[in-house]
Amino acid sequence: MRILGIETSCDETAAAVVEDGKRLLSNVVLSSIDLHKAYGGVVPEIAARSHIEAIMPVIEQALEQAKCTWDDIDGIAVTYGAGLGGSLLIGVLTARTLAIIKQKPLYAINHVEGHIYANFLTETTLPHYELPAAQPQFPMLGLIVSGGHSQLVLWKNHFNYKLLGQTHDDAIGEAFDKVAKITGLPYPGGPSIEQAARKGDPFVYSFPKAQMEGRYDFSFSGVKTAVLRAAQAAVGEDFTFPSSKLPDRLSERQKADLCASFQRVAMETVVDKTVLAYEEFQPKSVVIGGGVASSTALREELSRRLPYPITYTDRKLCTDNGAMVATLGCYKAIHKQPAADPYTLEITPNLSM
Ligand code: KG4
Ligand code: ZN
């Protein structure tokens, strides 16, 4: 069973071929991130235009890297939500057209579920990938931490899961991106904060952890505002001081300490709830997915706190990619889940779990 996965929900144009839900044959990701950097975040119109230019070359390269022709492909999986409308449209319309022309079944993939399925890849023909030795077992607890999502989900089996909790406001990655803006670090914020935090003291600032009504719910807007207030206070100003002027006034030391303290509290927040859910539900495996899952700080904290030998997938499979989409597509095909109609499949930008 070989599935071609297509992913265009945000600023990455990505395609990959996965075999039998576990073997990665190709993984091609083209990011338009450099075009967005000047704006400090993803500009939807620029992302959509980049997808149009990149999508066919990226798909052709994914087939070539997998040493596959269209005859070797058993189906096409595509992200249909959640994501930016214009971006999703390019991927979905391309996949629909290819499914009709090449006469392949089409599988509609939820981006957030896809992030978790990257953990099912255990073999590859590609160099420079570090994959876990074994697949996750059910019941499986999944923590999804990305630029658009922060969720804890319990899977009883494939296609049978329960959403335990999610963020009520900002996603964790979004909070990293906003704190990067406050401290004058480049977009995307996660990697630049992680780097700056290495030189800082994580205990200089004690930012609050939001107390939520739902046991497994998150909130990150409070801690983000707390970083802003701390930065204003650090330069001797009050809350009226514009955040755009802060990077010039903050010293390197202050920036590093703000980043380290914020990163510590943000990671502790998601790890606290993951450990709590682990204790309550006693899953056979715990997996993490989404861009923030590539963070060494998060991995170290989770490994230290979980009474379970958690394994992590390659960092290249945490940020948006086609492999996660193809992997989930394989399970849909293997478990005979209904295929989508290539003549009518619509995008769902605010798709939930
Ligand atoms: O999954 P992803 O590529 O896109 C979405 O589906 O949102 O995640 C991107 C997010 C960005 O917010 C980025 O700042 C964050 O992942 N990120 C990190 C790290 N690497 C990426 N956050 C914290 N630490 C990192 N090392
Ligand atoms: Zn994502």
Side-chain angles (χ1 to χ4, degrees), residues 7 9-12 14 27-29 31 33 111 114-116 118 129 145-147 187-188 190-191 288-295 299 313-325:
E7 155 65 40
S9 67
C10 192
D11 58 333
E12 276 94 9
N27 190 34
V28 180
V29 181
S31 176
I33 209 157
H111 179 84
H115 268 306
I116 288 299
Y129 277 83
V145 276
S146 75
Y187 176 85
I288 63 174
V292 185
S294 58
S295 159
R299 291 175 176 213
T313 192
D314 196 284
R315 287 181 166 77
K316 294 186 281 301
L317 298 173
C318 292
T319 40
D320 291 350
N321 63 82
M324 64 191 215
V325 176

Side-chain angles (χ1 to χ4, degrees), residues 34-169:
D34 288 342
L35 303 175
H36 305 283
K37 273 194 171 133
Y39 306 94
V42 174
V43 182
E45 289 78 7
I46 295 178
R49 217 173 304 138
S50 304
H51 287 310
I52 296 175
E53 288 170 10
I55 187 93
M56 284 318 295
V58 164
I59 290 172
E60 277 155 19
Q61 203 184 330
L63 290 172
E64 196 180 310
Q65 193 178 70
K67 300 188 174 60
C68 284
T69 66
W70 278 103
D71 287 341
D72 304 316
I73 299 295
D74 300 296
I76 299 171
V78 65
T79 301
Y80 77 109
L84 301 170
S87 290
L88 288 167
L89 259 182
I90 310 305
V92 167
L93 287 175
T94 305
R96 282 172 52 175
T97 310
L98 288 171
I100 293 166
I101 297 172
K102 306 291 181 188
Q103 299 192 319
K104 308 287 178 190
L106 178 66
Y107 298 99
I109 301 297
N110 179 325
H111 179 84
V112 185
E113 293 175 26
H115 268 306
I116 288 299
Y117 271 76
N119 291 284
F120 282 84
L121 291 165
T122 54
E123 300 168 26
T124 184
T125 50
L126 303 176
H128 315 303
Y129 277 83
E130 274 183 54
L131 301 179
Q135 289 194 313
Q137 289 191 313
F138 297 106
M140 167 180 84
L141 178 64
L143 171 69
I144 299 125
V145 276
S146 75
H149 307 273
S150 311
Q151 287 165 327
L152 257 175
V153 183
L154 185 68
W155 268 264
K156 282 198 189 130
N157 212 324
H158 292 296
F159 316 113
N160 180 0
Y161 63 73
K162 187 176 169 221
L163 177 64
L164 301 179
Q166 60 187 331
T167 183
H168 281 218
D169 38 62

Side-chain angles (χ1 to χ4, degrees), residues 190-253:
S192 28
I193 287 185
E194 181 158 36
Q195 204 187 343
R198 289 203 189 100
K199 291 181 223 130
D201 179 346
F203 294 97
V204 168
Y205 300 96
S206 51
F207 298 125
K209 283 187 203 166
Q211 299 297 320
M212 307 299 290
E213 220 170 277
R215 196 170 154 85
Y216 299 114
D217 284 341
F218 305 104
S219 162
F220 291 100
S221 69
V223 62
K224 170 199 69 191
T225 309
V227 174
L228 175 61
R229 297 287 174 260
Q232 289 163 328
V235 299
E237 300 283 353
D238 69 7
F239 68 94
T240 58
F241 189 73
S243 59
S244 58
K245 291 191 180 152
L246 278 169
D248 290 339
R249 295 271 299 270
L250 288 165
S251 70
E252 290 307 307
R253 173 92 243 159

Side-chain angles (χ1 to χ4, degrees), residues 230-302:
Q232 289 163 328
V235 299
E237 300 283 353
D238 69 7
F239 68 94
T240 58
F241 189 73
S243 59
S244 58
K245 291 191 180 152
L246 278 169
D248 290 339
R249 295 271 299 270
L250 288 165
S251 70
E252 290 307 307
R253 173 92 243 159
Q254 286 169 324
K255 286 182 189 179
D257 290 341
L258 284 165
C259 287
S261 303
F262 163 73
Q263 179 175 261
R264 175 181 63 80
V265 170
M267 297 317 187
E268 277 178 13
T269 302
V270 291
V271 171
D272 285 353
K273 307 245 161 160
T274 308
V275 172
L276 207 60
Y278 180 83
E279 284 165 358
E280 180 173 347
F281 300 105
Q282 298 287 314
K284 283 215 178 99
S285 57
V286 181
V287 291
I288 63 174
V292 185
S294 58
S295 159
T296 303
L298 173 60
R299 291 175 176 213
E300 284 177 355
E301 179 70 1
L302 199 54

